[in-house]
Amino acid sequence: MKNKVTNILLAGVGGQGTLLASEVLSEALMLGGYDVKKSEIHGMSQRGGSVTSHVRFGSKVYSPLIPEGEADFLFGFELLETMRCLPMLRTGGTVVVNDLKIMPAPVAMGQEVYPADIPAKIASSFPDTVLVNGMDLAMQAGNVRTVNIALLGALSRRLDLAEQHWHQALTGQVPERFLAENLKAFELGRAV
């Protein structure tokens, strides 16, 4: 039997919880019995810089890095960062993206213009695109800091993994005082 490896690229901006989401994702996949490899790149993340995380899983994974053009899923926390990472996605890949714009410094200073119609541009190249209003879901969950987990819920529906593994992973990664809100955000995202 061929060893099928599934590749998920997470892309966001510093402070969005991209790394926590990749930790929960990786732990849930391990609880589901997969071999998982993960790698993170977060230069200047404390100042709103780009944050990406590569997560690969299957029966046996040899490298944590996803080759360009081979990601099965692009899981984006911000529109422009997601668009920037599109070359990593394979033809026919799936995009799960937060409907959020964070202005990069050149845009904030008026030197550049934030690109228009990013969701439509992504969907024109990748028809299997799911646009998620993560902030709305997080507000419904009672804590705006659960956007990352609401988005993870939306991604979870597209992966073959039992819901109990997601809940176990959340319980293991999220501080107990925030767990109820995060579980609610996850369920709201899973309904998208």
Side-chain angles (χ1 to χ4, degrees), residues 46-64:
Q46 296 297 320
R47 297 183 181 203
S50 299
V51 177
T52 57
S53 181
H54 296 223
V55 176
R56 307 184 75 212
F57 68 96
S59 58
K60 182 66 184 166
V61 180
Y62 294 98
S63 169

Side-chain angles (χ1 to χ4, degrees), residues 12 24 28 40 49-50 64 77 81 129 155 170 182 190:
V24 173
E40 301 164 350
S50 299
F77 292 75
E81 286 299 318
T129 294
L155 176 69
L170 281 165
N182 278 275
R190 201 163 164 84

Side-chain angles (χ1 to χ4, degrees), residues 1-129:
M1 182 175 162
K2 187 175 177 185
N3 178 26
K4 165 78 172 102
V5 174
T6 300
N7 301 311
I8 303 173
L9 180 68
L10 295 86
V13 172
Q16 289 194 282
T18 307
L19 299 181
L20 174 61
S22 72
E23 287 291 329
V24 173
L25 171 62
S26 297
E27 186 169 331
L29 292 166
M30 285 189 287
L31 289 166
Y34 292 106
D35 184 32
V36 180
K37 298 284 187 292
K38 178 173 74 80
S39 178
E40 301 164 350
I41 300 171
H42 40 93
M44 299 297 283
S45 61
Q46 296 297 320
R47 297 183 181 203
S50 299
V51 177
T52 57
S53 181
H54 296 223
V55 176
R56 307 184 75 212
F57 68 96
S59 58
K60 182 66 184 166
V61 180
Y62 294 98
S63 169
L65 297 178
I66 302 169
E68 186 169 325
E70 294 187 23
D72 299 287
F73 294 90
L74 175 54
F75 181 32
F77 292 75
E78 195 274 336
L79 289 168
L80 190 55
E81 286 299 318
T82 303
M83 194 164 122
R84 189 178 65 76
C85 292
L86 286 177
M88 293 295 293
L89 196 60
R90 68 169 171 78
T91 301
T94 298
V95 180
V96 176
V97 60
N98 190 17
D99 184 18
L100 176 70
K101 297 176 185 174
I102 296 177
M103 302 300 152
V107 173
M109 293 187 312
Q111 298 170 341
E112 300 287 339
V113 176
Y114 196 94
D117 302 325
I118 289 178
K121 289 174 182 170
I122 293 172
S124 70
S125 298
F126 297 95
D128 193 9
T129 294

Side-chain angles (χ1 to χ4, degrees), residues 20 23-25 27-28 31 149 152-153 163-176 179 182-187:
L20 174 61
E23 287 291 329
V24 173
L25 171 62
E27 186 169 331
L31 289 166
I149 303 302
L152 191 60
E163 194 166 347
Q164 71 188 40
H165 300 311
W166 294 103
H167 285 230
Q168 283 179 273
L170 281 165
T171 302
Q173 294 290 327
V174 174
E176 188 174 341
L179 184 58
N182 278 275
L183 286 170
K184 185 172 182 182
F186 180 82
E187 291 306 320

